[in-house]
Amino acid sequence: MDAQNIESYLICNHGRRALVTYRSVKKYYIRIETVRLDIHYLKTCRSKGIIPGFLWFKTANENLRSSQEYRESQRRLLNAEIDYKYQHLNNVKTSYQTSLNLLRECCPENIFQSLQEIITTICKPILDKKKQTIENKLYKLGYVNEPKCNVDRGVVKNLSTRILSDDEIDCLAHGLDYGLLPRNFDNMNAAGNIERFFHNVTDIFQKQKKLMADLKEKDVVIQNDVRVLSSKELTLACNLRSLTDSFRSQANRYQKQQHLIRTEQKKYHQLLKQLKHDKSIIVTRPDKGRGIVLLDRNDYISKMNAILSDTTKFSSRFDDPTIQRERRLTTLLRRLKKDGHITEEFYDMARPTGSNPGRLYGLPKTHKTDVPLRPVLSSIGTYNYGLGKVLKQMLSNTIQNEALIKDSFAFVKELKSLSKFSQCKMVSFDIVSLYTNIPLAETIQIILDHLYKDRTPPTTIPRDDMKKLLEFATQDSHFLFNGKIYDQKDGVSMGSPLAPLLAEIFLQDFEKKHLPSFKEKGIVYWKRYVDDTFVLLDPKVSAKEIAAQLSQCHPSLKFTCEEEYTTINKDLSKEGSSQKKFTHKNQYTAEKKRSTEEKKSTPRIALSFLDVLVERQPNIGFESRKYRKETFTGLLTKWDSFVPKQYKYNAISTMVYRATRICSTYEALHDEFDIIRGLALDNGYPVAFVESIIRRQLNLI
């Protein structure tokens, strides 16, 4: 049975009644989809302010066609037409459902399912022709359809020996967060979510929770606990059941249709399956920026082993110490709880249960030669993960540093008050491999001194026990890589909940000891965010000499510097920069005018810090605009990705929000909005969707 001989098959095997019913179902299916397309056409016209041709009616006075009353009448008629189409759609749906039920009675269930798929396949060319007709109508009325998302193959870095086909590259170029249409709809998950919603809306959940608490407190077992629903709860349950069944039916129908229409989805599933089964390669993301990197597994393992061969940081083990360390930590926590040194909440958060070793993996630094790896530790589920989180909360008030920048927004705000330093030279200092070079023993001692010497009153936990807790959370950490267990002896790994806090405490102490002396050597202004520091120097002072002197202050720290540069580019980018351009030329931008302005641009002084590009104007002050590193690929969540629409909204709104907070001039803000439009169009976002977000964010300012 196929689409070619379906009618002869039905009349021979199931009779003429089945054939007539099948034709009726197909007819109503086409009508439903046609009416939906008509509604889409009319609503598009309404949203874009376009009047369809059939609404341009004649009047006795031709001059009335340009009047406001005439336009208002057209809009009312358009709304009435849309309302009528919806009524017609409901009537056709009723007829379609009746015919569908009759068809279900005429043939077995498996034949019925096949018939639905065949109907969808047969009707697809007819509906495609209808869609094309609507697109032509809209085009003639002056509306250009939104472009499809472009596939930038440059975001895929194939560093492996495997030769990728064009289809594989196109599939991967959508990004690691691209949501493919699921093959099967999870009926059980949908039903479970509805049941959970019902329990939360009603008081069943709270009563069950109270009952279990009473049973635990009284240590009583009830053999038969029957919960009788009230009439309102029964009505709600029935309505939810009906809605759930309808939703599941619509979801399954939509899924089948989409798989037939979006044929590339099936191909992508197959391609990803082939890549998954190829054990000779590693597919991961780059260390900076969004993209996809393919590495040879042997090369990946050898680079990670080279990192782990540093005996000052790591040591190999022959046994798994998870259970042993979990017991030791639990014993210590129980004693502290019994003695009243920690609260019940502290104990519950820090107590490990069912722990596993951490997982170490590496992210390739594609922007560097030889593509080294950055080790990252996934510590979720480790025996000291909860302890690290609770200690982070406890020690968060330790960070009290005037030289600390909260975020790029605070940095831009502070730039406005630095006009008196506009003659100073801008420099950015960076610390090489900060996390892995943090001296743990020294940092723990700094924390203990703060808690028990500088702090009043000191914490209730005894000093020796606090030291043990800190050692459990840092030094006594182990992880798994390539089937082997390793201990981390020094430094902290990215991924540990305590890593940012320990790094900040250590650097805060470093600045407290050494920064006053360096201010006498020409440092006028010093602000730091983690390992990046924005500095204003006396123009006579050498930035490289300052970086070298800073590196000599502590053996674990090595500073590098980047100095301000002069450019004539309008976007303040460096001369000869290979950064990709994403500017979108909208209808308000004159290309000739922009090119003329760029030719007349005067040299300007700039420096990038975080995601801010700072322009220094001597004797005037500082201006700022959004900055993107050369590792930025322009890859966003694709518009056709099967993810909630809110994710796509947030992908654009966050960029718009940052633009409004970082750009200090209207010119910079206008240029940034053009870049956002270009990025959105490259990823398939509709222009109207992006413009609505920009307008909404501007209205919030």
Side-chain angles (χ1 to χ4, degrees), residues 120 202 240 344 346 380 450 547 557 639:
T120 304
T202 59
L240 286 176
E344 184 77 27
F346 187 106
I380 298 176
H450 172 77
L557 298 181
W639 177 254

Side-chain angles (χ1 to χ4, degrees), residues 358-556:
R359 295 291 188 272
L360 188 74
Y361 61 94
L363 296 179
K365 302 179 182 180
T366 55
H367 57 289
K368 295 187 178 181
T369 55
D370 297 331
V371 193
L373 299 178
R374 181 188 297 276
V376 181
L377 177 64
S378 176
S379 57
I380 298 176
T382 57
Y383 85 99
N384 56 2
Y385 183 73
L387 176 63
K389 291 180 67 175
V390 72
L391 287 177
K392 180 183 178 182
Q393 295 179 5
M394 180 180 177
L395 301 174
S396 58
N397 59 356
T398 306
I399 302 175
Q400 296 176 354
N401 192 356
E402 295 181 356
L404 182 65
I405 297 176
K406 181 181 178 182
D407 50 34
S408 55
F409 301 150
F411 173 66
V412 170
K413 185 177 180 180
E414 193 159 339
L415 280 177
K416 299 176 182 178
S417 62
L418 299 179
S419 56
K420 59 183 178 181
F421 301 131
S422 59
Q423 290 290 349
C424 297
K425 180 170 58 176
M426 296 188 299
V427 179
S428 174
F429 289 127
D430 182 37
I431 302 175
V432 179
S433 302
L434 172 63
Y435 283 2
T436 55
N437 288 317
I438 293 294
L440 286 179
E442 182 179 345
T443 306
I444 290 175
Q445 191 62 40
I446 294 171
I447 295 173
L448 293 175
D449 290 343
H450 172 77
L451 291 177
Y452 298 95
K453 290 183 180 180
D454 304 334
R455 184 173 175 177
T456 304
T459 181
T460 57
I461 303 175
R463 183 184 179 109
D464 291 341
D465 291 331
M466 175 59 75
K467 183 178 181 181
K468 291 179 182 178
L469 290 176
L470 290 170
E471 289 174 349
F472 269 121
T474 55
Q475 292 179 342
D476 294 343
S477 296
H478 59 281
F479 55 84
L480 184 68
F481 176 75
N482 198 28
K484 296 181 181 179
I485 299 289
Y486 294 87
D487 264 336
Q488 181 158 0
K489 298 160 58 177
D490 201 6
V492 292
S493 295
M494 288 185 63
S496 171
L498 270 179
L501 182 66
L502 293 177
E504 186 58 44
I505 291 174
F506 173 71
L507 290 179
Q508 178 178 302
D509 183 75
F510 174 84
E511 291 171 343
K512 184 178 179 181
K513 292 178 180 177
H514 302 286
L515 194 56
S517 62
F518 277 91
K519 287 187 175 180
E520 298 176 358
K521 298 179 181 180
I523 293 181
V524 179
Y525 177 83
W526 175 288
K527 285 291 181 179
R528 178 179 52 80
Y529 181 82
V530 191
D531 60 343
D532 292 323
T533 309
F534 180 81
V535 179
L536 294 177
L537 287 178
D538 188 318
K540 300 177 183 178
V541 178
S542 171
K544 293 182 179 179
E545 290 183 3
I546 294 292
Q549 294 176 18
L550 285 169
S551 300
Q552 294 174 359
C553 294
H554 199 285
S556 298

